Amino acid sequence: MKTIFHKFAFIYILIFLISFILIIIGVRSVLDYYFVSNESDLITQRAQNFEKIVNSKYVNSISLDLLQEQIMLLDGYTGANIWLFTEEGAFYSTSNSTYDMQLGKYPYLADDIKSVFEGRETSREVLYEGISQDRVLRVGYPFHVGDKIYAMFINVPMPELEDTISKVSVIIFISLSISGFLAVTLIFMITRRMGHEIKVINDAAKFIAQGNFEKKIIINRKDELGELAESFNAMAAELNKQENTKRMFISSLSHDLRTPLTTIKGYTHGMLDGTIEADKQERYLKIVSTESDRLIKMINDLLDLSKMESGALILNKTDFDMNDVIVNVLDSFEQKIIDKRIKLTIDLTKEKILAHGDMASIQRVIYNLMDNATKFVNMDGEISIRTELKNDKFYVGISNSGNVLSPKELSVIWDRFTKLDKSRGLEKKSSGLGLSIVKEIVKAHHEKIEVYSNEDIGVAFIFTVATQIFK
C-alpha cells in the first residue's frame, strides 16, 4: 500500500532533484558570465593602462617596430596573444605561430575590426578552427597613440577561465549536495513522523467507529495536524457526551413512561377485579386520566423537539402584545403560586410596541420557563418577570430564588432529560424536555437566550424577541 509517507517522500525528493539540477545549471551560467565578464573588464583595464604608459613616453607618435616591442611587454604581462591591426591593413602578432590572416576564417573578426576602428570595445568567445582546439576570449580595444589608432585584439585562452569556473562549480556542487542530503534526511524524518501521527489518528477513528468514544489522541504539535488531533478529541468527547445523554434519555424515558403506566395499570386492574370499590372508582379514573394526559404531553414534547431539531418547525410569525401573552401564561400558574406562597414581582415595559414572532411558540417558551421557576423556587420564595425594550429587541427575563446552580450544571441545563433536582419529588414531575424545547424555539426565531445563577438572583433566564419595528 502506498502510504502518505511514501508519496510525500517521493514528491519532496523529486522537487529537490529538479531544483538541484536547475540551481547547478543556473549557477554555472552565472559563473560563466561573471568570470568572462570580469576577465574581459580586467583585460580592457590593462590595455587602457598600457595605452597611458605608451602615450606618456611617446607624445606624438611611435614607429610600428617600437610599438611592437612595447606590445611584447604587454603580452608577457597578460600571458595572452595580442594582435595589432593598422588602418592601412598591416598586421602584427606577438605569437610565434604563423597566422594566415584571411579575415573570413576568423569568426566575426572583420566586424570586430570595423567596430574597434570606430572607437568601440568588443568582447567575444570564439573558436579558431584549425588553429586551436580551445575556445578563446577575444577582447578588442581601440589603441590610440597620439592621433593614430590601432585595432588591438587580446586573445586569452579559455581553459584557464574554465578551470577556475569548474573549481568553483565543484565547491558549490559539494555544498549543495551536503545541504541536499541534510534536507532530504530531515524531510524523511518529518514525513515519517507525520505519517505515523496520521496513522494514530486513523486508528483512533476506527476505534471510535466501534463505539469506543473515550479514545483520545496525544499529539504534541502546534500546527494543523495538532489542531486536527484537538478537533478529533473534541469530537470524541462530544460523541461520548451524546452517548451518555442517549443512555440517560433511555433511562429517564423508561422511568417517566413506566411510572404513569404502572399507575394506570394498577388502578385499571383494581377496578376490573373489584379491589377498588365502585364509589371510589371515579376518583381513581381521574388519576388515570391525569396520568394519560401526562403521557400524551411527554410524547408530544418528544415529537415537537425532534421536529425542531431537524429544522422542520414552521413558524407563523405575526405581531402580538408581549405583555398580554405573559399575563395569560401567569393565569395558568395562579394556584401553584398560592400553594408555595410565592412573592411574584412583575415589571413590564410601558412601551406600546408589539413583538414579532410565532405567538404560540413564544407563549410556550414563557410557559416552560414559568413552569421551571415554580417547580424549583423555594417555599415562600420569589419569582420575578421583567420585560425591557432595548436596541429594537424585547428582553424577557424570568428568575426565581432557590438553589444556586454550579457552572457544570449550567453547561448541561439545555440538554434533554436534564433534571438538576435529583430528588424527583412529586411536585417536580416533568419530562425533562421543557428547557430543550425553549432553546430550540428561540434558536428557530434567530434570537438568543442566556441563563445566569448566583446568590443574588437565584436562577434567571433572559431571552430576546424581535419587535414590530425590526421584523
Side-chain angles (χ1 to χ4, degrees):
M1 181 180 68
K2 291 184 178 180
T3 63
I4 192 170
F5 163 70
H6 293 104
K7 291 179 180 178
F8 271 117
F10 174 76
I11 292 173
Y12 287 144
I13 292 173
L14 183 63
I15 292 173
F16 170 76
L17 289 176
I18 294 174
S19 302
F20 184 81
I21 293 171
L22 292 177
I23 290 173
I24 290 296
I25 294 173
V27 167
R28 178 67 191 222
S29 300
V30 170
L31 288 175
D32 283 345
Y33 174 79
Y34 172 78
F35 279 102
V36 170
S37 176
N38 186 65
E39 183 70 14
S40 178
D41 292 341
L42 183 62
I43 291 172
T44 301
Q45 183 65 42
R46 288 173 178 174
Q48 290 174 347
N49 294 336
F50 180 71
E51 183 183 47
K52 291 178 182 178
I53 293 173
V54 172
N55 279 280
S56 66
K57 288 185 177 182
Y58 309 97
V59 179
N60 295 321
S61 63
I62 185 173
S63 66
L64 183 59
D65 293 338
L66 186 57
L67 179 60
Q68 291 174 352
E69 292 179 5
Q70 296 295 325
I71 290 176
M72 288 295 293
L73 297 177
L74 179 62
D75 178 272
Y77 176 62
T78 60
N81 178 26
I82 301 175
W83 296 344
L84 192 68
F85 292 90
T86 66
E87 291 181 292
E88 293 77 16
F91 166 72
Y92 170 75
S93 171
T94 60
S95 173
N96 293 326
S97 302
T98 303
Y99 287 88
D100 180 8
M101 293 310 297
Q102 297 180 14
L103 299 184
K105 297 176 61 177
Y106 297 87
Y108 306 103
L109 181 58
D111 294 336
D112 288 349
I113 292 173
K114 181 179 179 182
S115 296
V116 171
F117 277 121
E118 290 175 353
R120 296 192 299 271
E121 298 172 2
T122 64
S123 178
R124 193 187 303 276
E125 291 182 54
V126 294
L127 177 64
Y128 299 143
E129 295 182 0
I131 299 175
S132 174
Q133 296 180 348
D134 299 324
R135 294 183 65 82
V136 175
L137 175 62
R138 186 178 70 205
V139 178
Y141 179 75
F143 191 87
H144 297 82
V145 179
D147 296 332
K148 194 168 182 63
I149 184 172
Y150 299 90
M152 178 183 288
F153 289 93
I154 304 171
N155 297 276
V156 178
M158 288 295 293
E160 295 182 5
L161 283 176
E162 290 175 349
D163 183 59
T164 302
I165 293 172
S166 297
K167 289 179 180 179
V168 175
S169 299
V170 168
I171 294 173
I172 294 175
F173 177 82
I174 293 173
S175 301
L176 286 175
S177 298
I178 295 173
S179 301
F181 175 76
L182 294 176
V184 169
T185 303
L186 185 61
I187 289 172
F188 176 85
M189 294 173 62
I190 292 174
T191 308
R192 187 170 185 177
R193 180 187 173 190
M194 186 183 299
H196 171 72
E197 289 168 342
I198 291 175
K199 185 177 183 299
V200 169
I201 295 176
N202 184 44
D203 291 342
K206 293 178 180 178
F207 196 73
I208 286 179
Q210 297 173 358
N212 303 304
F213 302 122
E214 297 180 357
K215 178 69 174 179
K216 285 189 177 181
I217 300 173
I218 300 176
I219 295 180
N220 297 320
R221 297 177 69 106
K222 300 297 181 182
D223 54 11
E224 291 83 354
L225 201 57
E227 291 181 4
L228 176 62
E230 291 178 2
S231 299
F232 188 94
N233 289 336
M235 177 196 70
E238 184 62 27
L239 288 173
N240 191 41
K241 178 182 174 182
Q242 291 182 9
E243 181 68 15
N244 292 334
T245 302
K246 183 176 72 173
R247 293 194 188 102
M248 188 173 65
F249 163 72
I250 295 173
S251 175
S252 299
L253 183 61
S254 300
H255 182 279
D256 290 338
L257 289 175
R258 184 173 62 245
T259 301
L261 285 173
T262 301
T263 302
I264 293 170
K265 182 179 179 181
Y267 291 154
T268 303
H269 285 180
M271 285 183 282
L272 289 174
D273 60 18
T275 304
I276 298 177
E277 298 176 359
D279 58 341
K280 295 181 180 179
Q281 288 185 2
E282 183 178 354
R283 174 194 169 194
Y284 289 108
L285 283 172
K286 288 180 180 179
I287 295 174
V288 169
S289 177
T290 300
E291 293 298 317
S292 299
D293 291 339
R294 191 154 75 91
L295 276 175
I296 292 172
K297 182 180 183 304
M298 185 185 301
I299 293 170
N300 288 336
D301 285 347
L302 277 171
L303 293 174
D304 291 342
L305 183 59
S306 176
K307 186 186 296 184
M308 293 172 190
E309 291 177 340
S310 65
L313 177 64
I314 299 175
L315 299 177
N316 181 24
K317 292 187 177 182
T318 59
D319 296 331
F320 61 92
D321 191 316
M322 178 65 76
N323 293 346
D324 287 347
V325 171
I326 292 174
V327 171
N328 291 335
V329 171
L330 288 176
D331 290 340
S332 303
F333 294 92
E334 181 178 359
Q335 192 58 48
K336 287 187 178 181
I337 293 171
I338 294 172
D339 292 342
K340 298 187 74 170
R341 300 189 297 275
I342 298 170
K343 179 184 176 182
L344 183 64
T345 301
I346 303 174
D347 182 14
L348 304 181
T349 181
K350 301 299 189 294
E351 300 284 347
K352 299 299 182 181
I353 297 176
L354 299 177
H356 183 76
D358 188 313
M359 188 180 73
S361 296
I362 298 300
Q363 184 174 7
R364 189 172 187 181
V365 169
I366 297 171
Y367 183 92
N368 286 0
L369 292 178
M370 273 300 301
D371 184 51
N372 187 77
T374 54
K375 284 175 185 173
F376 294 102
V377 68
N378 53 316
M379 189 67 69
D380 297 315
E382 297 181 8
I383 291 180
S384 174
I385 302 175
R386 294 186 59 196
T387 60
E388 182 181 356
L389 189 63
K390 184 169 59 176
N391 299 329
D392 297 325
K393 294 278 188 183
F394 266 113
Y395 283 76
V396 182
I398 299 176
S399 63
N400 65 271
S401 60
N403 294 332
V404 176
L405 300 181
S406 67
K408 182 178 180 181
E409 290 174 321
L410 289 176
S411 67
V412 298
I413 198 169
W414 305 112
D415 295 346
R416 58 173 71 186
F417 291 105
T418 296
K419 297 182 181 181
L420 300 179
D421 190 324
K422 302 300 181 182
S423 62
R424 300 181 64 86
L426 293 176
E427 75 281 8
K428 291 172 181 146
K429 288 182 180 178
S430 69
S431 64
L433 299 171
L435 294 181
S436 298
I437 291 173
V438 165
K439 181 75 171 180
E440 291 299 325
I441 290 175
V442 174
K443 181 180 175 182
H445 280 79
H446 303 289
E447 299 294 339
K448 295 181 180 179
I449 184 167
E450 302 288 344
V451 58
Y452 307 92
S453 184
N454 56 50
E455 293 290 348
D456 296 329
I457 63 174
V459 180
F461 293 87
I462 300 175
F463 68 95
T464 60
V465 180
T467 63
Q468 184 183 21
I469 300 174
F470 199 69
K471 61 183 178 180

